[in-house]
Amino acid sequence: ARVSVIGAGRVGSTLAQRLVEKNIADVVLVDIVEGMPQGIALDLMEARGVERHDRQIIGTNDYADTSNSDIVVITAGLARKPGMSREDLLKTNAKIVVDATKKALERSPNTILILVTNPLDVMTYLAWEASGLPTQRVMGMAGVLDAARFQAFISMELGVSIQDIHTMVLGNHGDLMVPIPRYCTVNGVPLTELMDTPTIERLVDRTRTGGTEIVNLMKTGSAYFAPASSTCLMCEAILQNQSRVLPVAAYLQGEYGINDVFLGMPCQLGSNGVEKILKLDLTDSEKAALSHCADTVRENIDQAKA
Ligand code: NAI
């Protein structure tokens, strides 16, 4: 299998490393900066003997090298600096993402497209429009990361293994995201039986601002290890047709009364992309929170196009 990663920055290069070192796919790493993706690819090729794999990594500035990719991941664009919201990146990243999508799709017209660039839900919509792909072959990475962050915070709080914790986060990637503690469990035991409401609320808040917490600590960039891991998991689920249920930004057509927008939903991922969106029984306030996400994303789509 072949995955093309557009944008060889921190998320893109770490994703490339994960994909080859976990023996999931060969990788083509594309960037506009000359020499940089080539250097990273050579570095990763030289690590193969130590890491013990035979995967190929190509670094390039030319989309011709991306032909026939099974998956194209777009991480190209600007990342946040302290004081910036994801929406501050809107116009610049919209141009970059639409351009990258068109160029990649010329070479791989039936690929599956995964967006990572922020603001995530907006970029996923714009890329879908530019791609001409059916909706199920386009998705955004955010929910896996947000759920992983929530999982980490619960694990730290309870002192139990992160592997026993299952979390559910819906909605958009940003302060409006909708973590659903009712659907979170520690190996089947509802989280709501293990923690009091104020503690859960505190962890929910930390999850909502998890990206910002790291931006403020790092000062020179934003998170990339957990984002790369999360994207890698989605690639693996698709390439190995695993039917895993993961939260991803998927195209809504009437779910919860929401139409024509990409938002985080639990989805079954397989070789055709988003094979199913799982329907949850949500409360009125959870539905209202989701509608609010959808409205905000739609406004930002309009703003990006203005
Ligand atoms: P970075 O700055 O390290 O890398 C971005 C790369 O994109 C740079 O190498 C740059 O040269 C390249 N680039 C810019 N314009 C390009 C173009 N037209 N064609 C090809 N490459 C181009 O940034 P980082 O940390 O890798 O983040 C990348 C994006 O992912 C940001 O927008 C960031 O906000 C987003 N992100 C999203 C997450 C999510 O959960 N969805 C999580 C983490 C980051």
Side-chain angles (χ1 to χ4, degrees):
R2 159 182 274 214
V3 176
S4 287
V5 180
I6 319 300
R10 294 204 244 206
V11 177
S13 58
T14 310
L15 171 62
Q17 179 189 16
R18 297 256 200 280
L19 286 168
V20 296
E21 291 182 357
K22 290 185 159 193
N23 199 22
I24 293 168
D26 295 332
V27 172
V28 181
L29 199 51
V30 183
D31 205 282
I32 36 163
V33 179
E34 280 177 30
M36 186 264 266
Q38 290 86 344
I40 292 171
L42 183 58
D43 195 5
L44 286 170
M45 288 291 279
E46 290 167 358
R48 292 179 309 158
V50 184
E51 294 295 338
R52 298 179 155 274
H53 69 86
D54 285 297
R55 288 290 175 182
Q56 296 294 313
I57 313 105
I58 296 171
T60 182
N61 309 111
D62 184 354
Y63 281 84
D65 294 318
T66 67
S67 295
N68 301 318
S69 299
D70 299 288
I71 298 179
V72 171
V73 180
I74 300 189
T75 76
L78 305 187
R80 286 193 290 166
K81 300 210 172 66
M84 287 174 85
S85 77
R86 292 180 181 88
E87 280 65 32
D88 290 333
L89 307 168
L90 201 57
K91 287 222 164 187
T92 318
N93 284 355
K95 258 201 202 114
I96 293 172
V97 161
V98 167
D99 178 64
T101 301
K102 286 184 178 156
K103 286 178 175 154
L105 265 289
E106 265 172 39
R107 310 288 182 166
S108 307
N110 298 314
T111 196
I112 288 176
L113 191 56
I114 302 179
L115 271 292
V116 176
T117 307
N118 274 319
L120 188 272
D121 310 270
V122 182
M123 294 303 131
T124 308
Y125 190 93
L126 299 177
W128 164 63
E129 279 189 322
S131 73
L133 285 169
T135 52
Q136 69 167 9
R137 300 185 81 78
V138 182
M139 68 194 85
M141 186 290 291
V144 177
L145 172 63
D146 295 329
R149 284 179 174 153
F150 196 16
Q151 202 183 19
F153 300 145
I154 293 167
S155 156
M156 291 170 191
E157 185 73 25
L158 291 177
V160 302
S161 165
I162 197 160
Q163 298 180 63
D164 288 328
I165 297 167
H166 297 273
T167 53
M168 175 74 69
V169 178
L170 308 177
N172 74 350
H173 187 50
D175 303 344
L176 298 177
M177 78 177 70
V178 190
I180 315 273
R182 293 190 299 122
Y183 281 121
C184 300
T185 71
V186 178
N187 226 349
V189 182
L191 183 64
T192 45
E193 288 180 22
L194 299 171
M195 273 184 197
D196 59 17
T197 310
T199 309
I200 291 175
E201 278 307 312
R202 177 163 52 78
L203 302 188
V204 162
D205 275 348
R206 193 173 177 194
T207 303
R208 284 208 181 95
T209 56
T212 308
E213 183 179 2
I214 290 179
V215 170
N216 289 339
L217 286 166
M218 286 174 63
K219 296 196 179 66
T220 53
S222 58
Y224 57 102
F225 288 117
S229 297
S230 303
T231 314
C232 184
L233 187 72
M234 291 167 64
C235 292
E236 185 181 30
I238 292 165
L239 295 172
Q240 296 175 10
N241 196 20
Q242 288 173 335
S243 299
R244 287 211 58 184
V245 176
L246 300 174
V248 309
Y251 188 76
L252 297 193
Q253 302 176 73
E255 289 85 354
Y256 311 106
I258 301 171
N259 272 296
D260 192 34
V261 72
F262 283 80
L263 272 190
M265 290 285 141
C267 295
Q268 192 176 313
L269 292 194
S271 53
N272 296 314
V274 175
E275 302 198 331
K276 197 196 244 173
I277 298 179
L278 273 68
K279 187 100 180 12
L280 304 176
D281 197 7
L282 297 183
T283 65
D284 287 344
S285 77
E286 288 161 352
K287 283 183 205 158
L290 272 186
S291 295
H292 186 40
C293 288
D295 293 342
T296 308
V297 172
R298 222 173 267 123
E299 277 166 28
N300 285 326
I301 292 170
D302 291 342
Q303 206 185 312
K305 288 180 175 177

